[in-house]
């Protein structure tokens, strides 16, 4: 009987160890550690390509910038623990890649990346943060260090759901702050009035990292465009809901602002058209762009 | 006996020493001569001078970055070896006279980097560079050559080499007016041909109705692409003749230039249709001209 007990215990122990081993295998190979996409393969080549293209082709005035040094500064941040990366860790990277923004050319936005990118037209019309050197190199890519290693983690990376101080979010916080700080003249803001969670996210990048960094003595006024999907829904417009919160906040900070809806611009009934720049930046332009973007016309 | 061996040894030593010295002297002379002659045989390569812009700075980094971006983000189903593509591209023109580039030079690259295209998505263009690309960027359903790997990598860049040098010429490169067989022109000609050959289904073309000849055989479209569409794969060509907003139309679907194109295409057994100022494209033009009558939203 004793031997059979022993045998049984032995078997159970073996089974337990075996199951633990299996579980270990599964967490390593099958399940992902974090909830976000992993580091892009060939990140360094993509980064250097974008940097070199920006300083050689897009904005040759920046030809003296050193892309290798900029990459080194960026990469050194990723040596830190994937959940301990702070915006200030990117200070050297920003120092090396920072450049001036032409007056009246800044474009801030929430929830309408595609429209913003199409409208900005690679710095030809306006210059959103992703058309600045420091924004261009990080646009649409992902990166983080392995949890227990020094190299990049290509399987998954932490998002805000996993931890706040992750490499990518801290990057954009730092870049956005700098971008707002260096902006001057008229500040354009494009919001999405068809977004169910609100056109102006009260706790978004614009609210938390851009508005607090505008320089009062350099900014002349804000021009807010509330865009809607063609055909609706028209959930929020100027003076409504979260847009009203934004307007009130700007007023409290003693900034001048104008707000324009696409819908009213198209109807051309009630809305005033402040022709600040001879109508050049009239948001009915954006309406056409939206039409084209959403165009389902059979060809 | 002891006395007899020592003079032998010292003589042997002396012979050895003498031999070694002679060898050393010869060696030194040989090395010296080699250095002199080597210098004489390979003078520093003379950098040829041309009238066009020089090679783009950091060309390798830019093209590699674009290749990786294209194969990982723009078209992730494509599996390509970007480093190999770069080397093959470079070998096509490095160390060669940039006025003597041949199609064979680029053939290995074409084979490496070519990839199939979905049917009905091809958009050819002539003299409408800016508008065509603004349109495809916004309306993702069409692909121009510059939306394929070969076009994406090289768009807007310049490159050329120099005879007897492994370096690119960053000072100047031949302008197409100086010689037709320069590295860029041959590249685009071959890439355009491959792009036309890969087209299937319906092919769209954006032409410029505000110039005197929207269609001509001096353009790549007229001289290369039209003639390399495969009638077994392409059954219809749809032309959009776009005019400058608010400008005077110079030519249109009913003009002689388009009629000439029509006869060529129909002669190749491909059906043909033409539309003036296709609305979806015109909307892109309207972004810059919202006050023009053609751009009013409620047109009566």
């Amino acid at each position: 009987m004793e031997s059979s007990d022993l045998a049984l215990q032995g078997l159970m122990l073996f089974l337990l160890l075996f199951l633990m081993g299996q579980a270990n295998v599964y967490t390593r190979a099958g399940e992902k550690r974090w909830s976000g996409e992993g580091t892009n393969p060939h990140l360094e080549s993509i980064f250097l390509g974008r940097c070199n293209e920006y300083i050689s082709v897009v904005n040759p005035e920046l030809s003296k910038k050193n892309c290798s040094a900029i990459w080194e500064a960026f990469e050194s941040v990723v040596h830190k623990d994937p959940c301990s990366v702070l915006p200030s860790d990117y200070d050297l990277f920003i120092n090396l890649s920072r450049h001036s923004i032409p007056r009246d050319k800044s474009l801030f936005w929430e929830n309408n990346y595609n429209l913003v990118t199409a409208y900005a037209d690679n710095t030809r019309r306006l210059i959103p943060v992703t058309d600045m050197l420091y924004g261009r190199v990080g646009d649409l890519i992902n990166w983080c260090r392995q949890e227990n290693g020094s190299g990049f983690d290509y399987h998954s990376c932490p998002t805000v759901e996993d931890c706040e101080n992750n490499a990518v979010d801290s990057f954009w916080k730092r870049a956005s702050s700098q971008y707002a700080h260096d902006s001057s003249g008229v500040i354009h803001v494009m919001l999405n009035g068809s977004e169910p969670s609100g056109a102006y996210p009260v706790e978004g990048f614009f609210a938390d990292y851009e508005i607090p960094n505008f320089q009062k003595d350099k900014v002349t006024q804000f021009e807010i465009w509330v865009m809607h999907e063609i055909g609706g829904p028209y959930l929020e417009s100027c003076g409504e809901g979260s847009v009203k919160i934004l307007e009130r906040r700007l007023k409290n900070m003693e900034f001048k602002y104008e707000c324009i809806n696409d819908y009213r611009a198209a109807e051309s009934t009630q809305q005033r058209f402040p022709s600040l720049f001879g109508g050049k930046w009239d948001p009915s332009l954006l309406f056409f762009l939206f039409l084209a973007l959403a165009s389902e016309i059979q060809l | 006996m002891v006395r007899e061996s020592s003079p032998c040894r010292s003589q042997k030593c002396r012979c050895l020493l003498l031999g070694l010295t002679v060898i050393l002297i010869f060696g030194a002379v040989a090395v010296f001569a080699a250095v002199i002659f080597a210098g004489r045989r390979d003078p520093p390569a003379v950098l040829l001078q041309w009238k066009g812009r020089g090679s783009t700075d950091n060309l390798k980094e830019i093209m590699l970055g674009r290749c990786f971006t294209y194969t990982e983000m723009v078209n992730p189903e494509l599996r390509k070896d970007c480093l190999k593509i770069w080397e093959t591209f470079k070998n096509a023109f490095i160390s060669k006279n940039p006025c003597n580039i041949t199609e064979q030079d680029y053939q290995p690259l074409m084979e490496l980097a070519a990839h199939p295209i979905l049917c009905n998505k091809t958009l050819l263009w002539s003299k409408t560079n800016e508008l065509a690309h603004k349109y495809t960027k916004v309306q993702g359903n069409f692909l121009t050559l510059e939306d394929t790997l070969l076009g994406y990598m090289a768009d807007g860049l310049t490159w050329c080499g120099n005879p007897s040098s492994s370096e690119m010429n960053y000072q100047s490169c031949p302008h197409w007016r100086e010689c037709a067989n320069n590295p860029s022109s041959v590249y685009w000609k071959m890439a355009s041909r491959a792009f036309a050959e890969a087209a299937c289904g319906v092919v769209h073309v954006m032409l410029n109705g505000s110039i005197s000849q929207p269609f001509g055989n001096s353009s790549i479209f007229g001289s290369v692409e039209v003639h390399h569409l495969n009638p077994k794969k392409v059954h219809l060509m749809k032309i959009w003749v776009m005019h400058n907003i608010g400008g005077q139309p110079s030519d249109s679907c009913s003009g002689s230039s388009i009629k000439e194109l029509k006869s060529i295409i129909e002669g190749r057994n491909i059906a043909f249709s033409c539309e003036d100022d296709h609305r979806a494209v015109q909307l892109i033009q309207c972004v810059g001209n919202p006050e023009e009558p053609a751009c009013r939203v409620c047109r009566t």
Side-chain angles (χ1 to χ4, degrees):
Chain A
M1 271 183 246
E2 274 187 7
S3 57
S4 65
D5 273 339
L6 260 169
L8 199 64
Q9 280 176 21
L11 189 66
M12 281 178 69
L13 190 65
F14 173 74
L15 208 64
L16 193 67
L17 284 169
F18 178 73
L19 283 170
M20 278 171 66
Q22 285 299 308
N24 209 7
V25 168
Y26 275 125
T27 44
R28 243 181 256 158
E31 290 168 21
K32 286 184 178 178
R33 173 67 181 93
W34 309 110
S35 51
E37 295 280 312
T39 305
N40 289 81
H42 304 111
L43 178 70
E44 181 176 352
S45 294
I46 293 178
F47 184 104
L48 284 173
R50 286 174 174 187
C51 182
N52 278 300
E53 180 157 358
Y54 196 91
I55 67 172
S56 301
V57 180
V58 177
N59 191 347
E61 281 170 36
L62 302 180
S63 57
K64 297 276 189 298
K65 293 277 186 204
N66 182 344
C67 284
S68 302
I70 293 173
W71 163 255
E72 299 269 339
F74 172 87
E75 195 254 352
S76 68
V77 176
V78 199
H79 290 171
K80 295 185 80 180
D81 187 284
C83 279
S84 306
V85 181
L86 302 169
S88 56
D89 292 334
Y90 287 104
D91 282 348
L92 176 60
F93 162 78
I94 289 288
N95 271 341
L96 293 175
S97 56
R98 183 182 174 189
H99 58 103
S100 62
I101 310 169
R103 200 178 166 78
D104 304 330
K105 289 277 201 170
S106 296
L107 176 56
F108 295 83
W109 56 274
E110 285 284 5
N111 292 320
N112 44 29
Y113 173 83
N114 286 334
L115 182 57
V116 162
T117 310
Y119 185 68
D121 198 8
N122 199 22
T123 78
R124 273 180 280 249
R125 275 197 204 91
L126 292 175
I127 308 179
V129 67
T130 43
D131 282 349
M132 298 290 290
L133 174 57
Y134 46 84
R136 175 63 60 90
V137 291
D139 193 23
L140 294 175
I141 52 174
N142 245 16
W143 62 92
C144 66
R145 199 203 73 183
Q146 292 165 13
E147 201 176 9
N148 297 318
S150 59
F152 285 116
D153 188 340
Y154 294 100
H155 290 113
S156 64
C157 282
T159 64
V160 274
E161 286 161 29
D162 302 301
C163 56
E164 192 189 334
N165 294 330
N166 64 75
V168 175
D169 279 286
S170 294
F171 174 91
W172 288 113
K173 286 174 188 174
R174 185 65 186 88
S176 303
S177 311
Q178 192 65 51
Y179 179 65
H181 180 273
D182 293 345
S183 294
S184 61
V186 177
I187 306 291
H188 303 91
V189 187
M190 198 189 296
L191 301 177
N192 185 345
S194 296
E195 168 59 41
S197 60
Y200 167 67
V202 188
E203 286 175 354
F205 271 90
F206 182 58
D208 291 344
Y209 296 97
E210 290 168 339
I211 294 183
N213 285 299
F214 286 118
Q215 307 286 296
K216 284 218 175 66
D217 54 345
K218 293 201 296 182
V219 170
T220 51
Q221 79 163 59
F222 283 79
E223 188 156 316
I224 305 166
W225 299 331
V226 184
M227 305 304 297
H228 302 94
E229 300 281 356
I230 300 292
Y234 301 93
L235 299 178
E236 281 184 351
S237 299
C238 290
E240 293 175 6
S242 65
V243 184
K244 194 166 169 188
I245 297 176
L246 170 62
E247 291 175 16
R248 223 183 275 150
R249 182 178 180 188
L250 292 175
K251 195 167 172 192
N252 286 341
M253 294 171 80
E254 289 172 8
F255 282 121
K256 292 203 303 184
Y257 66 87
E258 294 273 4
C259 187
I260 299 165
N261 291 316
D262 57 358
Y263 176 79
R264 291 184 184 235
E267 293 282 21
S268 153
T269 49
Q270 305 166 16
Q271 194 64 28
R272 300 180 302 276
F273 285 105
S275 53
L276 295 155
F277 314 103
K280 255 193 227 167
W281 304 129
D282 197 303
S284 57
L285 312 179
L286 297 171
F287 179 73
F288 289 117
L289 196 54
F290 235 144
L291 261 179
L293 261 179
S295 172
E296 294 282 340
I297 297 170
Q298 285 306 308
L299 301 148
Chain B
M1 282 179 217
V2 175
R3 268 193 217 156
E4 275 181 344
S5 58
S6 41
C8 262
R9 237 197 293 155
S10 62
Q11 205 169 26
K12 260 193 195 167
C13 268
R14 257 187 251 138
C15 283
L16 212 64
L17 222 67
L18 193 66
L20 266 168
T21 317
V22 170
I23 290 172
L24 267 166
I25 291 173
F26 266 118
V29 169
V31 167
F32 191 62
V35 166
I36 297 258
F37 281 123
R40 279 225 194 113
R41 246 182 247 145
D42 292 336
V46 174
L47 200 65
L48 299 177
Q49 287 186 320
W50 309 100
K51 298 207 177 78
R53 243 185 331 186
S55 300
T56 308
D57 281 325
N58 306 306
L59 185 73
K60 176 182 177 180
E61 283 77 14
I62 294 175
M63 286 189 82
L64 264 182
R66 285 181 177 188
C67 182
F68 284 122
T69 298
Y70 190 86
T71 54
E72 282 173 28
M73 293 158 74
V74 177
N75 193 347
E77 277 124 35
L78 211 57
R79 296 261 173 271
K80 295 286 183 191
D81 183 341
C82 284
L83 288 163
K84 194 164 175 206
I85 286 175
W86 162 255
E87 286 300 320
T88 312
F89 168 77
K90 205 173 64 156
N91 289 338
F93 63 92
I94 279 293
S95 306
K96 298 179 186 165
N97 186 319
C99 268
N100 279 339
I101 303 297
T102 66
E103 294 192 353
Q104 282 84 344
D105 289 325
Y106 279 116
Q107 193 53 39
L109 173 68
M110 294 293 137
E111 279 160 27
L112 256 187
H115 59 88
I117 305 160
L118 290 171
C119 287
N120 307 320
K121 291 219 171 202
T122 302
L123 175 64
L124 302 173
W125 56 271
S126 187
K127 315 287 185 236
T128 50
N129 190 346
E130 212 180 300
L131 184 57
H133 293 105
K134 277 186 182 167
Y135 180 66
T136 59
K137 228 180 141 192
V138 164
Q139 161 59 288
N141 258 343
F142 289 99
L143 296 170
T144 61
L145 170 59
E146 292 71 27
D147 296 311
T148 66
L149 178 58
L150 279 167
Y152 189 87
M153 280 197 306
D155 192 20
L157 306 177
T158 312
W159 62 92
C160 66
N162 201 55
S164 320
S165 160
S166 59
E167 292 295 312
M168 285 195 281
N169 187 341
Y170 292 99
Q171 308 302 324
S172 62
C173 285
H175 192 268
W176 58 263
R177 284 202 189 97
E178 283 179 276
C179 54
N181 295 330
N182 66 73
S184 292
S185 297
V186 178
Y187 181 96
W188 288 113
K189 200 170 152 196
M190 292 192 76
S192 301
R193 185 168 76 201
F195 186 56
E197 284 168 353
C200 64
V202 181
V203 168
H204 289 84
V205 188
M206 196 185 298
L207 299 178
N208 189 338
S210 292
I211 57 173
S212 57
Q213 252 202 324
F215 169 73
N217 52 17
S218 60
S219 65
I220 290 190
F221 172 66
S223 60
V224 176
E225 289 169 333
V226 158
H227 302 289
H228 285 93
L229 295 169
N230 185 345
K232 294 203 180 93
K233 297 199 294 182
V234 175
H235 64 263
L236 171 62
M237 177 184 276
K238 283 180 138 178
I239 307 287
W240 297 330
V241 181
M242 303 305 301
H243 300 92
N244 291 339
I245 294 279
Q248 285 299 322
S250 171
D251 208 341
S252 67
C253 285
S254 48
S256 57
S257 166
I258 302 296
K259 287 224 164 74
E260 191 194 332
L261 173 60
K262 180 172 195 247
S263 65
I264 295 175
I265 289 296
E266 285 176 342
R268 299 200 67 219
N269 262 335
I270 296 172
F272 181 91
S273 80
C274 185
E275 186 188 346
D276 285 307
D277 294 311
H278 182 66
R279 184 66 177 153
V281 180
Q282 198 178 54
L283 289 172
I284 301 287
Q285 292 174 292
C286 285
V287 177
N289 302 277
E291 300 305 314
E292 288 289 335
C295 293
R296 295 233 187 88
V297 179
C298 297
R299 294 188 303 171
T300 37

